[in-house]
Amino acid sequence: IATVLPLLILSACAAPAPQPPSTLTAEEQSRQLLEQTAQQYLSQAQTAQSPQREELFIWAADYFARAHNVVLSQHSLDQISQPKRLSNDLMSRYTLVQVQILLVENNAFAALQLLNNLPDSALTAENGQQFYRRRADAYRQMGNDLAATRNLIWLAGLLESAQQRDPIHAEIWALLQ
């Protein structure tokens, strides 16, 4: 017993204290994860060369915008010194992030103006999906459910699997009721 007791005391001291359960909501945890991902992109962008550098800043800005962190999202975009020189693909992604920032700020009218200035030739398959998603969100913010529904229908047509389309179809039906 004399040799076991000190070992038990040592093991009790070495054992980590039990952690209290997380008090973050699922939404807060999601935002935290999005911000961590954005920080990783920012870190990578610091050492990257152009055009990968600009792409990483856009990814960081996108993740910050998804986390509703408008300040860091805009700061990430501001790291791109000459956005007008971006390729069509990067310029459309840059614009889509600007639109997301405007939507987080509840500025749907300005968001739609930016979207309407995007040339069709700049939209890839992925950007096209984001384009229609953002347009639907902007119209919904403005209270125009019919226009939001139209854009969701166009979005659903761009999705490849039923698993991707089913939530969009549910959203469409909810707007039509």
Side-chain angles (χ1 to χ4, degrees), residues 79-128:
Q79 300 306 302
I80 300 171
S81 60
Q82 297 179 326
K84 299 282 186 205
R85 291 191 174 180
L86 294 171
S87 68
N88 279 346
D89 179 49
L90 288 180
M91 188 62 198
S92 64
R93 289 180 45 213
Y94 180 93
T95 302
L96 289 166
V97 172
Q98 288 179 313
V99 167
Q100 183 64 23
I101 291 169
L102 290 168
L103 291 173
V104 169
E105 295 175 327
N106 292 315
N107 193 346
F109 184 75
L112 282 172
Q113 285 181 319
L114 274 179
L115 288 169
N116 290 336
N117 290 330
L118 265 178
D120 290 339
S121 62
L123 295 176
T124 62
E126 167 132 358
N127 290 345

Side-chain angles (χ1 to χ4, degrees), residues 31-32 34-36 38-39 42 60-77 97 100-101 104-105:
R31 284 186 181 175
Q32 191 175 55
L34 289 168
E35 288 201 5
Q36 288 171 353
Q39 290 291 350
L42 275 182
D62 183 30
Y63 277 86
F64 280 129
R66 291 184 205 183
H68 293 223
N69 190 332
V70 172
V71 172
L72 288 178
S73 183
Q74 188 60 55
H75 175 72
S76 299
L77 290 180
V97 172
Q100 183 64 23
I101 291 169
V104 169
E105 295 175 327

Side-chain angles (χ1 to χ4, degrees), residues 25-41:
T25 66
E27 183 178 333
E28 290 169 332
Q29 289 175 356
S30 175
R31 284 186 181 175
Q32 191 175 55
L33 183 60
L34 289 168
E35 288 201 5
Q36 288 171 353
T37 303
Q39 290 291 350
Q40 290 172 353
Y41 281 119

